[in-house]
Amino acid sequence: EIVMTQSPATLSVSPGERATLSCRASQSVSSNLAWYQQKPGQAPRLLSYGAYTRATGIPARFSGSGSGTEFTLTISSLQSEDFAVYYCQQYNNWPLTFGGGTKVEIK
Amino acid sequence: EVQLEESGGGLVQPGRSLRLSCAASGFTFDDYAMHWVRQAPGKGLEWVSGISWNSGNIGYADSVRGRFTISRDNAKTSLYLQMNSLRAEDTALYYCAKVLPMILVSGAFDIWGQGTMVTVSS
């Protein structure tokens, strides 16, 4: 099983600042990596897939990068609606696995 | 509108069974693989099971293999999860999710339902 490790667990950021979230895979997943955003009481929402392709309707301030075992989600200028929990997920191998999540909170 | 709606959750005693359903609408259901993902209260996301468009390729997490069975009925545009020998650790909100790329069994999940809660307790 591929283990996905996200860091940090919690990120405190002021509105308008940049946020950088990391995701590391225990073995290569090529570019088969997705990012999701989840707000309290809501289902996860797909932000990006293929490591860097933004999903439909996702603002350009969200950008994904990386390949192999190291991935990053960058939110260039945090808006109030961006405070949430973010998960990475690999779909290169079964079982599919998610990271433990990074909570982005208001500083 | 593309939509997934789960049902069938509830309170069940350990060792008993439950069958979850997911009704799909707004897209060509039999073009896409479908998956189940669960989330225990206050915890992260855990993949449970997935099934290809034609049911030819099926996979399970180790934690549920041998107890859960995924299936689909393309004529009814519905996905199912038969859960047997339920344990307290199966308590979670169960989501069904659609895979983004057509035909492939794995991929990012672009559409999610709102989930159905399963509570396993005596």
Side-chain angles (χ1 to χ4, degrees):
Chain A
E1 171 177 320
I2 297 176
V3 177
M4 307 300 292
T5 304
Q6 290 187 242
S7 61
T10 304
L11 188 60
S12 298
V13 186
S14 299
E17 289 189 339
R18 181 187 191 93
T20 302
L21 290 65
S22 296
C23 175
R24 174 177 293 177
S26 60
Q27 65 188 75
S28 176
V29 298
S30 186
S31 295
N32 296 313
L33 189 287
W35 288 96
Y36 301 88
Q37 176 194 68
Q38 188 178 34
K39 297 179 181 180
Q42 295 184 17
R45 178 174 72 145
L46 177 66
L47 297 177
S48 71
Y49 58 94
Y52 57 83
T53 302
R54 269 190 302 277
T56 302
I58 301 303
R61 63 180 182 273
F62 291 92
S63 63
S65 62
S67 66
T69 61
E70 300 284 344
F71 301 89
T72 300
L73 177 69
T74 301
I75 312 171
S76 59
S77 176
L78 271 159
Q79 306 298 302
S80 57
E81 61 267 29
D82 300 335
F83 293 96
V85 179
Y86 293 82
Y87 295 95
C88 62
Q89 176 221 358
Q90 68 81 19
Y91 50 90
N92 194 64
N93 290 77
W94 285 26
L96 310 186
T97 46
F98 290 88
T102 291
K103 181 180 182 180
V104 177
E105 63 177 26
I106 300 174
K107 186 174 182 180
Chain B
E1 179 189 5
V2 177
Q3 200 169 356
L4 297 172
E5 185 171 358
E6 303 92 340
S7 61
L11 174 63
V12 61
Q13 293 179 328
R16 304 298 291 265
S17 300
L18 208 58
R19 189 195 195 207
L20 305 184
S21 299
C22 172
S25 60
F27 65 98
T28 305
F29 183 72
D30 54 9
D31 276 346
Y32 296 92
M34 297 292 296
H35 292 249
W36 289 98
V37 176
R38 68 185 180 183
Q39 187 169 34
K43 302 298 184 182
L45 301 171
E46 179 188 16
W47 176 77
V48 174
S49 182
I51 185 169
S52 62
W53 67 277
N54 63 354
S55 304
N57 196 344
I58 288 174
Y60 298 97
D62 287 346
S63 58
V64 307
R65 186 175 292 112
R67 300 187 299 122
F68 289 12
T69 302
I70 191 172
S71 62
R72 65 189 293 162
D73 185 333
N74 288 343
K76 295 183 178 180
T77 65
S78 292
L79 175 73
Y80 306 100
L81 187 68
Q82 177 67 43
M83 304 186 295
N84 299 333
S85 303
L86 282 161
R87 306 167 179 168
E89 53 265 36
D90 295 320
T91 294
L93 185 62
Y94 284 73
Y95 294 103
C96 66
K98 168 189 166 293
V99 167
L100 174 61
M102 285 175 58
I103 303 302
L104 296 180
V105 67
S106 287
F109 302 144
D110 64 333
I111 303 296
W112 297 66
Q114 285 304 303
T116 186
M117 187 67 200
V118 173
T119 303
V120 184
S121 175
S122 55

